[in-house]
Amino acid sequence: GSGQEQFLILARNARGKACEALVQQVLDSKTVFHFGELLDVPSVAELATTPQSQGHHELLTIFAYGTYCEYQARAAALPPLSAAALGKLRILTIVSLACLSKVV
């Protein structure tokens, strides 16, 4: 959707703390549910190489490919999530599990 495209455009020029803030906005967004493309943006991928930013990259990776349980196991070492982001991660986890079990 256009919300995701807007975040992708913004991510291309965001660095450091600005990129971390953008990741938080994406996780909180009610319209973005796909995160793989954002992980491919060089400035976002760069977060994984900086100790103080690694947590934001890991959060985005969990939203893209992980589950709520994986987040819970690492939550103490990651930046906090808002209630909206936690709810979104739970929904994404349910959808993933439903797809794996072929039951909706």
Side-chain angles (χ1 to χ4, degrees):
S2 63
Q4 184 169 351
E5 291 168 20
Q6 182 181 5
F7 283 121
L8 287 169
I9 291 166
L10 291 171
R12 290 188 192 116
N13 296 313
R15 297 282 184 274
K17 292 286 182 197
C19 196
E20 290 175 21
L22 184 71
V23 167
Q24 287 293 155
Q25 289 175 18
V26 167
L27 299 181
D28 289 342
S29 170
K30 293 178 180 172
T31 60
V32 179
F33 284 88
H34 297 88
F35 307 94
E37 277 185 83
L38 195 57
L39 284 166
D40 292 338
V41 175
S43 59
V44 175
E46 204 173 273
L47 292 176
T49 66
T50 311
Q52 61 268 31
S53 300
Q54 284 176 338
H56 285 85
H57 189 271
E58 189 173 344
L59 276 179
L60 193 59
T61 303
I62 289 171
F63 271 72
Y65 306 111
T67 65
Y68 180 73
C69 292
E70 289 170 13
Y71 166 74
Q72 281 189 306
R74 298 270 305 126
L78 296 172
L81 288 178
S82 68
L86 278 171
K88 184 193 288 191
L89 184 55
R90 287 185 185 112
I91 291 168
L92 290 167
T93 299
I94 291 167
V95 170
S96 295
L97 295 173
C99 288
L100 286 174
S101 65
K102 304 282 190 233
V103 176
V104 178

mmCIF file of all heavy atoms in Angstrom, residues 33-80:
data_model
loop_
_atom_site.group_PDB
_atom_site.id
_atom_site.type_symbol
_atom_site.label_atom_id
_atom_site.label_comp_id
_atom_site.label_asym_id
_atom_site.label_seq_id
_atom_site.Cartn_x
_atom_site.Cartn_y
_atom_site.Cartn_z
ATOM 1 N N PHE A 33 2.028 -4.418 7.006
ATOM 2 C CA PHE A 33 2.114 -5.779 7.521
ATOM 3 C C PHE A 33 3.175 -6.604 6.802
ATOM 4 O O PHE A 33 3.286 -7.800 7.034
ATOM 5 C CB PHE A 33 0.750 -6.477 7.428
ATOM 6 C CG PHE A 33 -0.209 -6.018 8.488
ATOM 7 C CD1 PHE A 33 -1.015 -4.904 8.270
ATOM 8 C CD2 PHE A 33 -0.291 -6.667 9.706
ATOM 9 C CE1 PHE A 33 -1.896 -4.468 9.244
ATOM 10 C CE2 PHE A 33 -1.164 -6.227 10.691
ATOM 11 C CZ PHE A 33 -1.974 -5.128 10.459
ATOM 12 N N HIS A 34 3.932 -5.981 5.904
ATOM 13 C CA HIS A 34 5.021 -6.654 5.192
ATOM 14 C C HIS A 34 6.299 -5.882 5.482
ATOM 15 O O HIS A 34 6.337 -4.662 5.309
ATOM 16 C CB HIS A 34 4.746 -6.699 3.687
ATOM 17 C CG HIS A 34 3.538 -7.496 3.351
ATOM 18 N ND1 HIS A 34 2.283 -6.953 3.304
ATOM 19 C CD2 HIS A 34 3.388 -8.809 3.066
ATOM 20 C CE1 HIS A 34 1.406 -7.891 3.002
ATOM 21 N NE2 HIS A 34 2.061 -9.031 2.858
ATOM 22 N N PHE A 35 7.345 -6.605 5.879
ATOM 23 C CA PHE A 35 8.549 -5.929 6.358
ATOM 24 C C PHE A 35 9.822 -6.316 5.617
ATOM 25 O O PHE A 35 10.850 -5.689 5.789
ATOM 26 C CB PHE A 35 8.722 -6.214 7.856
ATOM 27 C CG PHE A 35 7.486 -5.881 8.648
ATOM 28 C CD1 PHE A 35 6.549 -6.855 8.930
ATOM 29 C CD2 PHE A 35 7.254 -4.587 9.067
ATOM 30 C CE1 PHE A 35 5.390 -6.550 9.632
ATOM 31 C CE2 PHE A 35 6.098 -4.273 9.769
ATOM 32 C CZ PHE A 35 5.174 -5.252 10.059
ATOM 33 N N GLY A 36 9.760 -7.338 4.783
ATOM 34 C CA GLY A 36 10.940 -7.815 4.076
ATOM 35 C C GLY A 36 11.585 -6.762 3.201
ATOM 36 O O GLY A 36 12.810 -6.620 3.181
ATOM 37 N N GLU A 37 10.770 -5.999 2.468
ATOM 38 C CA GLU A 37 11.315 -4.952 1.588
ATOM 39 C C GLU A 37 12.069 -3.907 2.384
ATOM 40 O O GLU A 37 13.103 -3.406 1.946
ATOM 41 C CB GLU A 37 10.194 -4.257 0.815
ATOM 42 C CG GLU A 37 9.735 -4.969 -0.421
ATOM 43 C CD GLU A 37 8.717 -4.122 -1.174
ATOM 44 O OE1 GLU A 37 9.152 -3.243 -1.943
ATOM 45 O OE2 GLU A 37 7.510 -4.338 -0.974
ATOM 46 N N LEU A 38 11.553 -3.564 3.551
ATOM 47 C CA LEU A 38 12.208 -2.568 4.384
ATOM 48 C C LEU A 38 13.566 -3.079 4.870
ATOM 49 O O LEU A 38 14.535 -2.332 4.924
ATOM 50 C CB LEU A 38 11.311 -2.205 5.568
ATOM 51 C CG LEU A 38 11.662 -0.942 6.332
ATOM 52 C CD1 LEU A 38 11.682 0.284 5.423
ATOM 53 C CD2 LEU A 38 10.679 -0.720 7.463
ATOM 54 N N LEU A 39 13.646 -4.368 5.193
ATOM 55 C CA LEU A 39 14.919 -4.954 5.620
ATOM 56 C C LEU A 39 15.963 -4.898 4.507
ATOM 57 O O LEU A 39 17.159 -4.909 4.788
ATOM 58 C CB LEU A 39 14.708 -6.410 6.061
ATOM 59 C CG LEU A 39 14.077 -6.589 7.432
ATOM 60 C CD1 LEU A 39 13.604 -8.021 7.618
ATOM 61 C CD2 LEU A 39 15.040 -6.192 8.532
ATOM 62 N N ASP A 40 15.515 -4.848 3.247
ATOM 63 C CA ASP A 40 16.432 -4.789 2.104
ATOM 64 C C ASP A 40 16.985 -3.392 1.834
ATOM 65 O O ASP A 40 17.940 -3.244 1.077
ATOM 66 C CB ASP A 40 15.737 -5.297 0.836
ATOM 67 C CG ASP A 40 15.439 -6.788 0.899
ATOM 68 O OD1 ASP A 40 16.097 -7.501 1.674
ATOM 69 O OD2 ASP A 40 14.532 -7.234 0.174
ATOM 70 N N VAL A 41 16.397 -2.365 2.445
ATOM 71 C CA VAL A 41 16.889 -0.996 2.249
ATOM 72 C C VAL A 41 18.245 -0.882 2.952
ATOM 73 O O VAL A 41 18.361 -1.223 4.135
ATOM 74 C CB VAL A 41 15.887 0.039 2.808
ATOM 75 C CG1 VAL A 41 16.454 1.449 2.729
ATOM 76 C CG2 VAL A 41 14.560 -0.050 2.069
ATOM 77 N N PRO A 42 19.295 -0.428 2.236
ATOM 78 C CA PRO A 42 20.641 -0.388 2.825
ATOM 79 C C PRO A 42 20.746 0.313 4.184
ATOM 80 O O PRO A 42 21.419 -0.197 5.080
ATOM 81 C CB PRO A 42 21.465 0.353 1.764
ATOM 82 C CG PRO A 42 20.776 0.017 0.475
ATOM 83 C CD PRO A 42 19.312 -0.018 0.827
ATOM 84 N N SER A 43 20.067 1.424 4.351
ATOM 85 C CA SER A 43 20.169 2.135 5.632
ATOM 86 C C SER A 43 19.536 1.335 6.773
ATOM 87 O O SER A 43 19.982 1.416 7.922
ATOM 88 C CB SER A 43 19.530 3.521 5.534
ATOM 89 O OG SER A 43 18.169 3.416 5.181
ATOM 90 N N VAL A 44 18.518 0.544 6.471
ATOM 91 C CA VAL A 44 17.892 -0.305 7.490
ATOM 92 C C VAL A 44 18.797 -1.510 7.767
ATOM 93 O O VAL A 44 19.012 -1.873 8.928
ATOM 94 C CB VAL A 44 16.480 -0.752 7.057
ATOM 95 C CG1 VAL A 44 15.881 -1.725 8.057
ATOM 96 C CG2 VAL A 44 15.574 0.469 6.883
ATOM 97 N N ALA A 45 19.346 -2.109 6.728
ATOM 98 C CA ALA A 45 20.277 -3.231 6.902
ATOM 99 C C ALA A 45 21.485 -2.801 7.735
ATOM 100 O O ALA A 45 22.016 -3.588 8.538
ATOM 101 C CB ALA A 45 20.723 -3.757 5.543
ATOM 102 N N GLU A 46 21.882 -1.550 7.587
ATOM 103 C CA GLU A 46 23.020 -0.987 8.324
ATOM 104 C C GLU A 46 22.783 -1.001 9.837
ATOM 105 O O GLU A 46 23.735 -1.050 10.620
ATOM 106 C CB GLU A 46 23.227 0.452 7.849
ATOM 107 C CG GLU A 46 24.592 1.020 8.023
ATOM 108 C CD GLU A 46 24.677 2.389 7.350
ATOM 109 O OE1 GLU A 46 24.972 2.434 6.151
ATOM 110 O OE2 GLU A 46 24.422 3.397 8.045
ATOM 111 N N LEU A 47 21.524 -0.960 10.264
ATOM 112 C CA LEU A 47 21.216 -0.994 11.696
ATOM 113 C C LEU A 47 21.786 -2.252 12.360
ATOM 114 O O LEU A 47 22.168 -2.228 13.528
ATOM 115 C CB LEU A 47 19.705 -0.936 11.935
ATOM 116 C CG LEU A 47 18.984 0.362 11.581
ATOM 117 C CD1 LEU A 47 17.484 0.195 11.790
ATOM 118 C CD2 LEU A 47 19.515 1.533 12.394
ATOM 119 N N ALA A 48 21.844 -3.344 11.618
ATOM 120 C CA ALA A 48 22.339 -4.609 12.170
ATOM 121 C C ALA A 48 23.825 -4.551 12.498
ATOM 122 O O ALA A 48 24.314 -5.360 13.288
ATOM 123 C CB ALA A 48 22.057 -5.751 11.201
ATOM 124 N N THR A 49 24.542 -3.605 11.918
ATOM 125 C CA THR A 49 25.992 -3.529 12.110
ATOM 126 C C THR A 49 26.394 -2.593 13.244
ATOM 127 O O THR A 49 27.573 -2.500 13.567
ATOM 128 C CB THR A 49 26.685 -3.060 10.810
ATOM 129 O OG1 THR A 49 26.296 -1.709 10.538
ATOM 130 C CG2 THR A 49 26.324 -3.948 9.635
ATOM 131 N N THR A 50 25.449 -1.905 13.838
ATOM 132 C CA THR A 50 25.738 -0.945 14.898
ATOM 133 C C THR A 50 25.168 -1.471 16.213
ATOM 134 O O THR A 50 23.948 -1.671 16.312
ATOM 135 C CB THR A 50 25.083 0.413 14.566
ATOM 136 O OG1 THR A 50 25.423 0.758 13.229
ATOM 137 C CG2 THR A 50 25.546 1.500 15.512
ATOM 138 N N PRO A 51 26.009 -1.683 17.222
ATOM 139 C CA PRO A 51 25.519 -2.267 18.479
ATOM 140 C C PRO A 51 24.280 -1.577 19.064
ATOM 141 O O PRO A 51 23.342 -2.256 19.481
ATOM 142 C CB PRO A 51 26.722 -2.139 19.418
ATOM 143 C CG PRO A 51 27.903 -2.166 18.503
ATOM 144 C CD PRO A 51 27.446 -1.454 17.256
ATOM 145 N N GLN A 52 24.251 -0.246 19.070
ATOM 146 C CA GLN A 52 23.108 0.446 19.671
ATOM 147 C C GLN A 52 21.846 0.375 18.809
ATOM 148 O O GLN A 52 20.755 0.672 19.294
ATOM 149 C CB GLN A 52 23.444 1.907 20.023
ATOM 150 C CG GLN A 52 23.829 2.763 18.846
ATOM 151 C CD GLN A 52 25.322 2.808 18.569
ATOM 152 O OE1 GLN A 52 26.030 1.844 18.837
ATOM 153 N NE2 GLN A 52 25.796 3.905 18.030
ATOM 154 N N SER A 53 21.971 -0.036 17.550
ATOM 155 C CA SER A 53 20.812 -0.112 16.651
ATOM 156 C C SER A 53 20.386 -1.538 16.330
ATOM 157 O O SER A 53 19.341 -1.750 15.711
ATOM 158 C CB SER A 53 21.136 0.614 15.336
ATOM 159 O OG SER A 53 21.431 1.960 15.571
ATOM 160 N N GLN A 54 21.183 -2.510 16.748
ATOM 161 C CA GLN A 54 20.893 -3.907 16.397
ATOM 162 C C GLN A 54 19.514 -4.359 16.860
ATOM 163 O O GLN A 54 18.849 -5.120 16.174
ATOM 164 C CB GLN A 54 21.957 -4.838 16.989
ATOM 165 C CG GLN A 54 23.260 -4.795 16.233
ATOM 166 C CD GLN A 54 24.337 -5.653 16.900
ATOM 167 O OE1 GLN A 54 24.268 -5.951 18.087
ATOM 168 N NE2 GLN A 54 25.344 -6.015 16.120
ATOM 169 N N GLY A 55 19.076 -3.869 18.003
ATOM 170 C CA GLY A 55 17.773 -4.273 18.532
ATOM 171 C C GLY A 55 16.630 -3.893 17.614
ATOM 172 O O GLY A 55 15.676 -4.658 17.443
ATOM 173 N N HIS A 56 16.718 -2.715 16.999
ATOM 174 C CA HIS A 56 15.659 -2.294 16.078
ATOM 175 C C HIS A 56 15.646 -3.171 14.833
ATOM 176 O O HIS A 56 14.587 -3.534 14.328
ATOM 177 C CB HIS A 56 15.833 -0.812 15.709
ATOM 178 C CG HIS A 56 15.433 0.099 16.809
ATOM 179 N ND1 HIS A 56 16.291 0.455 17.825
ATOM 180 C CD2 HIS A 56 14.257 0.698 17.084
ATOM 181 C CE1 HIS A 56 15.645 1.247 18.670
ATOM 182 N NE2 HIS A 56 14.410 1.411 18.242
ATOM 183 N N HIS A 57 16.827 -3.529 14.347
ATOM 184 C CA HIS A 57 16.905 -4.415 13.188
ATOM 185 C C HIS A 57 16.342 -5.788 13.546
ATOM 186 O O HIS A 57 15.590 -6.391 12.767
ATOM 187 C CB HIS A 57 18.352 -4.539 12.699
ATOM 188 C CG HIS A 57 18.469 -5.264 11.405
ATOM 189 N ND1 HIS A 57 18.606 -6.643 11.348
ATOM 190 C CD2 HIS A 57 18.436 -4.829 10.125
ATOM 191 C CE1 HIS A 57 18.673 -7.004 10.077
ATOM 192 N NE2 HIS A 57 18.566 -5.936 9.320
ATOM 193 N N GLU A 58 16.671 -6.267 14.737
ATOM 194 C CA GLU A 58 16.158 -7.573 15.166
ATOM 195 C C GLU A 58 14.639 -7.553 15.317
ATOM 196 O O GLU A 58 13.958 -8.512 14.926
ATOM 197 C CB GLU A 58 16.822 -7.998 16.476
ATOM 198 C CG GLU A 58 16.487 -9.424 16.851
ATOM 199 C CD GLU A 58 17.255 -9.952 18.048
ATOM 200 O OE1 GLU A 58 18.271 -9.348 18.442
ATOM 201 O OE2 GLU A 58 16.822 -10.971 18.590
ATOM 202 N N LEU A 59 14.094 -6.466 15.862
ATOM 203 C CA LEU A 59 12.634 -6.343 15.963
ATOM 204 C C LEU A 59 11.985 -6.433 14.587
ATOM 205 O O LEU A 59 11.009 -7.158 14.399
ATOM 206 C CB LEU A 59 12.244 -5.003 16.598
ATOM 207 C CG LEU A 59 12.230 -4.903 18.100
ATOM 208 C CD1 LEU A 59 11.847 -3.492 18.528
ATOM 209 C CD2 LEU A 59 11.272 -5.911 18.719
ATOM 210 N N LEU A 60 12.525 -5.691 13.637
ATOM 211 C CA LEU A 60 11.965 -5.691 12.290
ATOM 212 C C LEU A 60 12.056 -7.095 11.676
ATOM 213 O O LEU A 60 11.115 -7.551 11.022
ATOM 214 C CB LEU A 60 12.706 -4.662 11.426
ATOM 215 C CG LEU A 60 12.067 -4.305 10.106
ATOM 216 C CD1 LEU A 60 10.663 -3.736 10.288
ATOM 217 C CD2 LEU A 60 12.948 -3.294 9.369
ATOM 218 N N THR A 61 13.157 -7.784 11.936
ATOM 219 C CA THR A 61 13.330 -9.146 11.431
ATOM 220 C C THR A 61 12.303 -10.092 12.052
ATOM 221 O O THR A 61 11.737 -10.948 11.367
ATOM 222 C CB THR A 61 14.768 -9.647 11.700
ATOM 223 O OG1 THR A 61 15.686 -8.737 11.095
ATOM 224 C CG2 THR A 61 14.988 -11.048 11.140
ATOM 225 N N ILE A 62 12.041 -9.922 13.349
ATOM 226 C CA ILE A 62 11.026 -10.754 14.014
ATOM 227 C C ILE A 62 9.652 -10.497 13.399
ATOM 228 O O ILE A 62 8.898 -11.429 13.128
ATOM 229 C CB ILE A 62 11.023 -10.509 15.540
ATOM 230 C CG1 ILE A 62 12.287 -11.110 16.170
ATOM 231 C CG2 ILE A 62 9.766 -11.095 16.181
ATOM 232 C CD1 ILE A 62 12.498 -10.739 17.631
ATOM 233 N N PHE A 63 9.337 -9.226 13.133
ATOM 234 C CA PHE A 63 8.051 -8.916 12.507
ATOM 235 C C PHE A 63 7.970 -9.499 11.097
ATOM 236 O O PHE A 63 6.908 -9.923 10.661
ATOM 237 C CB PHE A 63 7.819 -7.398 12.474
ATOM 238 C CG PHE A 63 7.139 -6.869 13.702
ATOM 239 C CD1 PHE A 63 7.805 -6.794 14.908
ATOM 240 C CD2 PHE A 63 5.820 -6.434 13.651
ATOM 241 C CE1 PHE A 63 7.182 -6.307 16.046
ATOM 242 C CE2 PHE A 63 5.179 -5.943 14.785
ATOM 243 C CZ PHE A 63 5.865 -5.882 15.986
ATOM 244 N N ALA A 64 9.085 -9.528 10.388
ATOM 245 C CA ALA A 64 9.092 -10.039 9.014
ATOM 246 C C ALA A 64 9.028 -11.564 8.968
ATOM 247 O O ALA A 64 8.304 -12.134 8.149
ATOM 248 C CB ALA A 64 10.339 -9.551 8.276
ATOM 249 N N TYR A 65 9.776 -12.221 9.850
ATOM 250 C CA TYR A 65 9.952 -13.668 9.697
ATOM 251 C C TYR A 65 9.735 -14.473 10.978
ATOM 252 O O TYR A 65 9.769 -15.700 10.930
ATOM 253 C CB TYR A 65 11.369 -13.966 9.185
ATOM 254 C CG TYR A 65 11.713 -13.219 7.930
ATOM 255 C CD1 TYR A 65 12.661 -12.196 7.942
ATOM 256 C CD2 TYR A 65 11.059 -13.510 6.727
ATOM 257 C CE1 TYR A 65 12.967 -11.493 6.786
ATOM 258 C CE2 TYR A 65 11.367 -12.803 5.568
ATOM 259 C CZ TYR A 65 12.319 -11.806 5.608
ATOM 260 O OH TYR A 65 12.618 -11.112 4.468
ATOM 261 N N GLY A 66 9.528 -13.804 12.110
ATOM 262 C CA GLY A 66 9.454 -14.506 13.378
ATOM 263 C C GLY A 66 8.054 -14.584 13.945
ATOM 264 O O GLY A 66 7.058 -14.409 13.241
ATOM 265 N N THR A 67 8.002 -14.847 15.248
ATOM 266 C CA THR A 67 6.724 -15.007 15.939
ATOM 267 C C THR A 67 6.746 -14.239 17.257
ATOM 268 O O THR A 67 7.802 -13.823 17.734
ATOM 269 C CB THR A 67 6.443 -16.489 16.261
ATOM 270 O OG1 THR A 67 7.431 -16.949 17.191
ATOM 271 C CG2 THR A 67 6.443 -17.352 15.011
ATOM 272 N N TYR A 68 5.579 -14.121 17.841
ATOM 273 C CA TYR A 68 5.431 -13.471 19.139
ATOM 274 C C TYR A 68 6.279 -14.191 20.195
ATOM 275 O O TYR A 68 6.914 -13.542 21.036
ATOM 276 C CB TYR A 68 3.952 -13.457 19.543
ATOM 277 C CG TYR A 68 3.699 -12.811 20.874
ATOM 278 C CD1 TYR A 68 3.795 -11.433 21.030
ATOM 279 C CD2 TYR A 68 3.368 -13.581 21.983
ATOM 280 C CE1 TYR A 68 3.569 -10.830 22.259
ATOM 281 C CE2 TYR A 68 3.135 -12.986 23.208
ATOM 282 C CZ TYR A 68 3.237 -11.621 23.348
ATOM 283 O OH TYR A 68 3.021 -11.030 24.562
ATOM 284 N N CYS A 69 6.328 -15.520 20.136
ATOM 285 C CA CYS A 69 7.123 -16.291 21.095
ATOM 286 C C CYS A 69 8.612 -15.970 20.966
ATOM 287 O O CYS A 69 9.319 -15.877 21.975
ATOM 288 C CB CYS A 69 6.898 -17.791 20.913
ATOM 289 S SG CYS A 69 5.228 -18.295 21.382
ATOM 290 N N GLU A 70 9.085 -15.784 19.751
ATOM 291 C CA GLU A 70 10.486 -15.413 19.544
ATOM 292 C C GLU A 70 10.756 -14.025 20.128
ATOM 293 O O GLU A 70 11.800 -13.792 20.731
ATOM 294 C CB GLU A 70 10.834 -15.445 18.050
ATOM 295 C CG GLU A 70 10.880 -16.852 17.497
ATOM 296 C CD GLU A 70 10.977 -16.898 15.979
ATOM 297 O OE1 GLU A 70 11.251 -15.862 15.340
ATOM 298 O OE2 GLU A 70 10.769 -17.987 15.435
ATOM 299 N N TYR A 71 9.791 -13.132 19.948
ATOM 300 C CA TYR A 71 9.936 -11.805 20.548
ATOM 301 C C TYR A 71 9.991 -11.925 22.070
ATOM 302 O O TYR A 71 10.864 -11.333 22.705
ATOM 303 C CB TYR A 71 8.794 -10.874 20.140
ATOM 304 C CG TYR A 71 8.759 -9.637 21.005
ATOM 305 C CD1 TYR A 71 9.712 -8.638 20.835
ATOM 306 C CD2 TYR A 71 7.819 -9.502 22.024
ATOM 307 C CE1 TYR A 71 9.719 -7.522 21.663
ATOM 308 C CE2 TYR A 71 7.824 -8.389 22.848
ATOM 309 C CZ TYR A 71 8.788 -7.397 22.667
ATOM 310 O OH TYR A 71 8.800 -6.311 23.492
ATOM 311 N N GLN A 72 9.078 -12.666 22.661
ATOM 312 C CA GLN A 72 9.043 -12.801 24.117
ATOM 313 C C GLN A 72 10.352 -13.349 24.662
ATOM 314 O O GLN A 72 10.815 -12.918 25.712
ATOM 315 C CB GLN A 72 7.890 -13.714 24.549
ATOM 316 C CG GLN A 72 6.547 -13.027 24.538
ATOM 317 C CD GLN A 72 5.489 -13.911 25.172
ATOM 318 O OE1 GLN A 72 5.307 -15.046 24.782
ATOM 319 N NE2 GLN A 72 4.802 -13.350 26.154
ATOM 320 N N ALA A 73 10.943 -14.300 23.957
ATOM 321 C CA ALA A 73 12.198 -14.905 24.403
ATOM 322 C C ALA A 73 13.346 -13.894 24.414
ATOM 323 O O ALA A 73 14.297 -14.030 25.182
ATOM 324 C CB ALA A 73 12.548 -16.099 23.511
ATOM 325 N N ARG A 74 13.259 -12.865 23.585
ATOM 326 C CA ARG A 74 14.332 -11.874 23.450
ATOM 327 C C ARG A 74 13.928 -10.486 23.960
ATOM 328 O O ARG A 74 14.721 -9.546 23.903
ATOM 329 C CB ARG A 74 14.727 -11.746 21.970
ATOM 330 C CG ARG A 74 15.279 -12.996 21.354
ATOM 331 C CD ARG A 74 16.784 -13.138 21.466
ATOM 332 N NE ARG A 74 17.464 -11.986 20.917
ATOM 333 C CZ ARG A 74 18.372 -11.255 21.598
ATOM 334 N NH1 ARG A 74 18.686 -11.581 22.820
ATOM 335 N NH2 ARG A 74 18.955 -10.223 21.046
ATOM 336 N N ALA A 75 12.713 -10.325 24.446
ATOM 337 C CA ALA A 75 12.164 -9.006 24.770
ATOM 338 C C ALA A 75 13.050 -8.173 25.686
ATOM 339 O O ALA A 75 13.187 -6.964 25.494
ATOM 340 C CB ALA A 75 10.768 -9.147 25.375
ATOM 341 N N ALA A 76 13.689 -8.799 26.662
ATOM 342 C CA ALA A 76 14.516 -8.048 27.610
ATOM 343 C C ALA A 76 15.707 -7.367 26.920
ATOM 344 O O ALA A 76 16.190 -6.336 27.387
ATOM 345 C CB ALA A 76 15.007 -8.972 28.718
ATOM 346 N N ALA A 77 16.158 -7.931 25.800
ATOM 347 C CA ALA A 77 17.322 -7.386 25.096
ATOM 348 C C ALA A 77 16.936 -6.478 23.926
ATOM 349 O O ALA A 77 17.799 -5.958 23.232
ATOM 350 C CB ALA A 77 18.193 -8.536 24.583
ATOM 351 N N LEU A 78 15.628 -6.286 23.719
ATOM 352 C CA LEU A 78 15.155 -5.513 22.565
ATOM 353 C C LEU A 78 14.489 -4.217 23.012
ATOM 354 O O LEU A 78 14.031 -4.110 24.154
ATOM 355 C CB LEU A 78 14.146 -6.349 21.769
ATOM 356 C CG LEU A 78 14.692 -7.623 21.128
ATOM 357 C CD1 LEU A 78 13.567 -8.450 20.547
ATOM 358 C CD2 LEU A 78 15.732 -7.290 20.081
ATOM 359 N N PRO A 79 14.399 -3.245 22.096
ATOM 360 C CA PRO A 79 13.646 -2.023 22.425
ATOM 361 C C PRO A 79 12.194 -2.383 22.737
ATOM 362 O O PRO A 79 11.667 -3.356 22.196
ATOM 363 C CB PRO A 79 13.730 -1.192 21.137
ATOM 364 C CG PRO A 79 14.903 -1.731 20.394
ATOM 365 C CD PRO A 79 14.973 -3.193 20.758
ATOM 366 N N PRO A 80 11.546 -1.614 23.619
ATOM 367 C CA PRO A 80 10.159 -1.923 23.967
ATOM 368 C C PRO A 80 9.216 -1.715 22.778
ATOM 369 O O PRO A 80 9.461 -0.877 21.921
ATOM 370 C CB PRO A 80 9.840 -0.939 25.092
ATOM 371 C CG PRO A 80 10.826 0.159 24.940
ATOM 372 C CD PRO A 80 12.057 -0.439 24.316
#
